[in-house]
Amino acid sequence: MSKLFVMGMGPGDLGLVAPNATKALSACSDWVAYGYYLDLLGELSAGKTFHNLPLGEEIGRARLALDLAAQGKNTALISSGDIGIYAMATLVFELLDLQLQGKEKHPEWLDVDIEVIPGISAMQAGASRVGAMLGHDFCTISLSDLLTPWETIDKRLHACGAGDFVVSFYNPVSKKRDWQLNHARDVLLKYRPASTPVMIGRQLTRPEEEITFTTLGELDAKDVDMFTMVSVGNSDSKHIVNGDKHWIYTPRGYSKKL
C-alpha cells in the first residue's frame, strides 16, 4: 500500500528537519509543496518529482497529494514548521471527512495509508533564538482573517490578554493586511504593561534570519512582513542583557524555591 506522509520540515534550517521526516522524504518519489519550501530542502530533493502549487492553492495541494498516493506513489505533502499548526494536515483530514460524508467522489482516498510527521514550529524556533520565552503558559493566534472571521480573532485576542498568556502571532501582516497587528497590540496593552518584551523573528533559522527585540508599546506593523513571526511575553516575561547578548525568558515560578 502506498503512503502519504503529511509532514512538517521545520522552520528552514536543514539541521532542524526531524530524522523521521528525513526518512519519509527519502522514501517518497513525489513531493507536494509550495515551491519555496522545496527549495529550502536543497540536497534532500535530488531525484524527486516536484509538484509545486503556489500560495493560495492549499486545497489543490491536499487533493493532489491524496490523488498521487491513491495512484500508488509514496508521496510527501510538505509544509514549513509543523504541518499540524496553521498548515496542510487539517485539509487532508477535512477532505477525508467529506469523503466519508459522501460529499466527495474519491473513495480511493480512504485506502491511502497516512502518517503525520511533526516538525519544529516557528514559535519554538523563535523562542529558542531568544532564550526561554515559552517557559510558562502560552498560545498562538493567527491574525489572518482569510478563513477566520475577524470577530472571532478579536475575541481570542481579549481572551489571551485576560489569561495573561505569552502569545505568538502567525500571519501578522501581509500585502493586503497591515492593521491587524497594531490592533492586537492595542488589545494586549489593556491587559499588560507597555514594557512587555516582544521578539520579532524574520526568516527564522534561514540564512536571512533577523531577530529584533522590542516592547509591546513600541511594536509596529511597519517593522513586520509576511515572513515574520511576532511573540509577545506575558506580564512576568523578562528581557535581560549581558553585554551584546539579549535574552527573553518567562519565569514559571521557581523563584520561590531559589
Side-chain angles (χ1 to χ4, degrees):
M1 179 185 294
S2 60
K3 289 197 70 167
L4 172 58
F5 292 96
V6 181
M7 55 177 295
M9 55 167 276
D13 183 341
L14 285 180
L16 296 178
V17 179
N20 283 355
T22 301
K23 291 178 183 177
L25 288 169
S26 178
C28 291
S29 60
D30 291 69
W31 292 7
V32 181
Y34 171 49
Y36 180 57
Y37 302 151
L38 296 171
D39 293 340
L40 286 172
L41 288 168
E43 61 193 35
L44 298 177
S45 64
K48 306 300 182 181
T49 300
F50 289 172
H51 302 272
N52 171 12
L53 277 72
L55 291 176
E57 295 293 330
E58 287 74 22
I59 296 174
R61 253 181 264 143
R63 288 181 179 276
L64 176 58
L66 284 164
D67 286 341
L68 289 168
Q71 293 165 18
K73 300 176 180 179
N74 285 336
T75 302
L77 176 61
I78 305 164
S79 285
S80 65
D82 184 301
I83 200 164
I85 301 177
Y86 303 120
M88 296 293 299
T90 184
L91 262 175
V92 170
F93 294 105
E94 193 165 355
L95 288 170
L96 292 175
D97 188 13
L98 290 173
Q99 175 59 44
L100 288 167
Q101 295 176 47
K103 297 178 181 180
E104 286 283 345
K105 298 179 180 180
H106 298 277
E108 67 276 10
W109 288 351
L110 300 179
D111 294 326
V112 173
D113 184 13
I114 298 174
E115 180 177 347
V116 180
I117 300 177
I120 295 173
S121 69
M123 68 175 174
Q124 291 172 295
S128 73
R129 286 299 199 243
V130 301
M133 198 163 187
L134 304 180
H136 211 321
D137 297 333
F138 62 89
C139 68
T140 65
I141 297 177
S142 171
L143 294 181
S144 171
D145 58 355
L146 182 62
L147 300 174
T148 304
W150 179 253
E151 293 77 10
T152 299
I153 297 171
D154 191 48
K155 179 172 67 175
R156 291 171 179 169
L157 289 170
H158 282 277
C160 167
D164 199 24
F165 291 100
V166 176
V167 58
S168 294
F169 289 123
Y170 283 70
N171 307 307
V173 300
S174 72
K175 292 180 180 178
K176 296 181 179 179
R177 293 185 298 101
D178 60 0
W179 60 269
Q180 284 91 338
L181 180 60
N182 286 352
H183 175 86
R185 173 202 64 203
D186 294 342
V187 169
L188 292 183
L189 282 170
K190 297 178 180 179
Y191 300 94
R192 61 193 68 173
S195 59
T196 300
V198 173
M199 186 276 301
I200 299 175
R202 184 177 186 279
Q203 296 281 28
L204 287 163
T205 81
R206 303 170 189 176
E208 307 88 349
E209 179 183 270
E210 297 177 10
I211 302 290
T212 302
F213 294 84
T214 187
T215 64
L216 183 59
E218 295 175 343
L219 177 62
D220 196 303
K222 67 178 176 55
D223 301 320
V224 176
D225 66 14
M226 62 189 300
F227 293 104
T228 305
M229 194 198 65
V230 177
S231 291
V232 181
N234 68 15
S235 59
D236 292 323
S237 297
K238 309 292 184 183
H239 177 192
I240 59 176
V241 181
N242 179 22
D244 61 352
K245 296 179 180 179
H246 291 246
W247 306 101
I248 297 175
Y249 76 99
T250 302
R252 193 178 173 193
Y254 287 111
S255 61
K256 300 172 185 178
K257 298 179 178 292
L258 295 176

